[in-house]
Amino acid sequence: MHRMSIMALLLDDSSIDKTRCVKLAIVHDLAECLVGDITPYDGVGKEDKHQMEKQAMAELVETLGQDNNQGGREIYELWNEYEDNRTNEAQVVHQLDKCEMIQQAMEYEKSDNKRLDQFFDTTRHLFTHPQIKSWADEIQNRRKK
């Protein structure tokens, strides 16, 4: 989440709201603090995962006082925006998430001395934002070294 926020700050793209991208990057995985990082290998369906995370976000925001707290409402709205992938900023942050994932996978490959090809194979054609695509290409190049 932190690295994604830094990546969002580094974007050089006047067509997107960088501040919004940073906010989306910060909140996109907040539900995981209650439900954990559910992966496709956990056997939880996409809709079930979404419902679990939606409930977790409602609980988190409730503790912030959503009814009387503009910040809590903003966090919930940002999370929904990311989940719905309905804005250019959300789409860019989804790509940042995948780019950060392959960066982390490359780091695990080096530290654990094992191959994690599935992370790279499943993201290879997902990067459409030119700058994020160049970062992903650079990660691939460094991985080969």
Side-chain angles (χ1 to χ4, degrees):
M1 160 170 33
H2 180 261
R3 186 169 14 197
M4 280 178 57
S5 300
I6 298 298
M7 293 167 75
L9 278 174
L10 294 173
L11 289 171
D12 184 20
D13 183 344
S14 61
S15 72
I16 59 167
D17 180 344
K18 277 201 319 187
T19 300
R20 189 150 195 91
C21 287
V22 170
K23 289 179 176 184
L24 288 165
I26 289 170
V27 305
H28 87 283
D29 273 344
L30 276 179
E32 289 182 7
C33 71
L34 291 179
V35 299
D37 187 7
I38 301 168
T39 71
Y41 303 105
D42 293 326
V44 177
K46 199 171 191 172
E47 185 57 35
D48 288 341
K49 177 185 179 208
H50 178 73
Q51 288 304 317
M52 291 168 64
E53 290 179 344
K54 185 176 181 178
Q55 178 61 36
M57 285 303 296
E59 290 174 28
L60 285 169
V61 171
E62 185 178 320
T63 65
L64 298 173
Q66 179 185 14
D67 294 334
N68 299 313
N69 184 320
Q70 179 59 33
R73 283 190 298 275
E74 182 181 17
I75 288 169
Y76 193 76
E77 289 167 7
L78 286 162
W79 181 81
N80 272 315
E81 179 180 339
Y82 177 82
E83 283 293 302
D84 293 344
N85 204 24
R86 66 178 184 248
T87 63
N88 289 337
E89 288 77 10
Q91 292 165 13
V92 164
V93 174
H94 271 93
Q95 290 182 54
L96 288 174
D97 186 36
K98 298 303 183 192
C99 187
E100 195 277 335
M101 179 187 74
I102 63 170
Q103 173 66 34
Q104 190 172 8
M106 182 187 71
E107 292 165 0
Y108 287 148
E109 283 184 330
K110 290 183 186 226
S111 67
D112 298 350
N113 198 28
K114 65 179 177 179
R115 301 286 295 178
L116 298 171
D117 293 327
Q118 67 272 23
F119 292 98
F120 299 90
D121 295 343
T122 59
T123 59
R124 182 161 283 126
H125 302 291
L126 296 181
F127 303 108
T128 58
H129 187 280
Q131 190 172 5
I132 300 170
K133 184 176 182 337
S134 73
W135 292 341
D137 290 345
E138 178 62 24
I139 292 166
Q140 290 279 10
N141 290 334
R142 289 182 183 191
R143 182 177 182 239
K144 293 175 185 174
K145 293 180 182 178

